[in-house]
């Protein structure tokens, strides 16, 4: 089950976001797991980043793997304002950036990390694999900022 909560004001295609998440979960072999995604603004993600990571700045994605008696994959939070800025700066659409960030969040929940350069390259390659299941040719500008 995929639950998407939109807690911000910018227009987004929720059906597309759900479709992207379904594609990522299927590719990661956890299609039967529960995932919760909340879309927020910069102010909210800055507050959550400070609370849970001790970092007092905005970010694009927060991901919290969860475990429970049922197959639960986790909870992710995406700042749509940050996604819009990143998309504009890199020259692709907000829709594409949200697709990327949904894949990025799912990979974090699956245990991928991007703190070290080698790990970041591996994660980026996997993101491109996932996006390749959504697009015939993902935009070359798609990569995660922070």
């Amino acid at each position: 089950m995929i639950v998407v909560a939109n807690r911000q004001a910018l227009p987004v295609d929720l059906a597309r976001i759900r479709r992207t998440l379904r594609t990522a979960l299927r590719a990661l072999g956890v299609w039967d797991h529960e995932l919760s995604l909340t879309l927020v603004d910069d102010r909210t993600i800055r507050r959550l980043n400070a609370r849970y990571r001790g970092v007092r700045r905005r970010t694009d994605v927060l991901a919290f793997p969860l475990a429970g008696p049922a197959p639960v994959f986790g909870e992710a939070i995406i700042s749509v304002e940050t996604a819009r800025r990143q998309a504009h700066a890199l020259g692709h659409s907000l829709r594409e950036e949200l697709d990327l960030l949904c894949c990025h969040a799912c990979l974090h929940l699956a245990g991928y990390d991007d703190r070290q350069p080698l790990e970041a390259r591996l994660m980026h390659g996997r993101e491109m694999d996932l996006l390749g299941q959504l697009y015939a040719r993902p935009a070359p500008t798609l990569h995660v900022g922070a």
Side-chain angles (χ1 to χ4, degrees), residues 79-127:
S79 171
V80 178
E81 287 178 324
T82 296
R84 182 176 65 175
R85 260 193 321 284
Q86 290 174 174
H88 179 73
L90 295 169
H92 52 259
S93 71
L94 173 59
R95 291 168 135 201
E96 290 170 309
E97 186 71 15
L98 288 172
D99 287 340
L100 172 66
L101 295 178
C102 285
C103 292
H104 188 76
C106 286
L107 288 171
H108 272 309
L109 294 173
Y112 284 78
D113 195 3
D114 56 357
R115 293 181 196 177
Q116 301 298 321
L118 176 60
E119 293 173 348
R121 280 194 302 277
L122 292 171
M123 190 171 183
H124 179 68
R126 190 66 172 121
E127 288 163 355

